[in-house]
Amino acid sequence: MDIAMIGLGKMGANMARRLRAGGHRVVGFDPAEGARDAFAANGGEVVATLEAAVAALAAPRAVWIMVPAGAPTDATLERLAPLLAAGDAIIDGGNSYYRDTLRRAAAAAARGLHYVDSGTSGGVWGLTEGYSLMIGGDPAAVERLRPIFATLAPAPDRGWGRVGPSGAGHFTKMVHNGIEYGLMQAYAEGFSILQHKADFSLDLHQVAEIWRHGSVVRSWLLDLTANALADNPTLAGIAPRVADSGEGRWTVAEAIDLDVPAPVITQSLIERLRSRDADSFADKLLAAMRNQFGGHAIERE
């Protein structure tokens, strides 16, 4: 199947490589010349313009966009949609907010285009292990694109599926990432407790390796934790600052809208926000209050 991959960052380029290895023709485009050059250097078929990418495909076309969520996705669609014809399909594989996806799907439908949202998980390991794909969109359009999804997934019959109409794929991926926040926080807190028990001198990498086999807390995330501890047992040189890319916030907001309690996911998001406050006004004020009501000493900077 012929596919245009729009966005040749690390993940987009790796997905294109997996598709090529599965026998698909992939035409790649990225506005950044360096990304196009890197794609070509790895044997990819690359074009210099979005127009050329669309022109390289026969109708009905399949165009996979792998660009950052928000304004970059909207800007790409504004340029892409007029180049396509009724019956063509756009697959948004990025971490778009599902409400944006609903809006974009409606705009695409008005042009006779299919808008398929594919929540995509797998990161840097997806090239070799396959990608988990949570797909939303018209059933007939998803079925036509089945060869693409079956190639990208860990196996043709597992790790992917249509979960509902347009928006459902990105909604499911949003909640997936919220769960990921909670799992990561639990592992981080547990290993921190182990690390602080200095009188036992625990080897955290050894503990992770033990837990990886037979334990009820074993997981791929624990496998990656073990890798990190093997490479850097004390985590030297790593700043205690954790970013977020939006999905956790959206999950918490959705939980509030639905009156669904989600304390673990919510607190894990709060901990990420807290990690970025290197000069916490709140903590200073707490110290000041303790001094005011109890005369407790204040540590000076």
Side-chain angles (χ1 to χ4, degrees), residues 1 19 24 142-152 160:
M1 192 170 189
L19 287 166
H24 300 277
V142 174
E143 183 60 30
R144 179 174 76 83
L145 300 168
R146 171 182 286 269
I148 298 175
F149 302 130
T151 301
L152 288 172
W160 75 278

Side-chain angles (χ1 to χ4, degrees), residues 4-59:
M5 178 66 70
I6 311 302
L8 301 176
K10 183 72 171 179
M11 196 160 177
N14 280 347
M15 294 175 78
R17 287 176 62 188
R18 188 172 175 90
L19 287 166
R20 292 204 318 269
H24 300 277
R25 177 189 174 220
V26 183
V27 180
F29 167 72
D30 194 288
E33 184 178 358
R36 297 197 303 270
D37 290 344
F39 188 69
N42 281 308
E45 180 181 350
V46 68
V47 293
T49 66
L50 192 60
E51 291 78 5
V54 173
L57 306 181

Side-chain angles (χ1 to χ4, degrees), residues 261-279:
V264 172
I265 294 173
T266 302
Q267 188 58 35
S268 67
L269 172 63
I270 298 303
E271 286 299 318
R272 292 192 180 202
L273 301 181
R274 183 175 175 82
S275 77
R276 299 170 218 166
D277 194 355
D279 187 33

Side-chain angles (χ1 to χ4, degrees), residues 210-285:
I210 292 171
W211 287 354
R212 287 183 60 220
H213 304 283
S215 167
V216 295
V217 300
R218 66 187 183 274
S219 71
W220 184 55
L221 189 55
L222 181 59
D223 295 343
L224 299 178
T225 301
N227 289 347
L229 291 170
D231 292 340
N232 189 352
T234 64
L235 305 183
I238 299 177
R241 186 181 192 281
V242 188
D244 75 281
S245 51
E247 297 90 343
R249 298 174 186 231
W250 301 336
T251 303
V252 170
E254 197 67 28
I256 293 169
D257 286 347
L258 295 171
D259 291 331
V260 175
V264 172
I265 294 173
T266 302
Q267 188 58 35
S268 67
L269 172 63
I270 298 303
E271 286 299 318
R272 292 192 180 202
L273 301 181
R274 183 175 175 82
S275 77
R276 299 170 218 166
D277 194 355
D279 187 33
S280 174
F281 183 84
D283 289 346
K284 290 180 179 181
L285 188 56

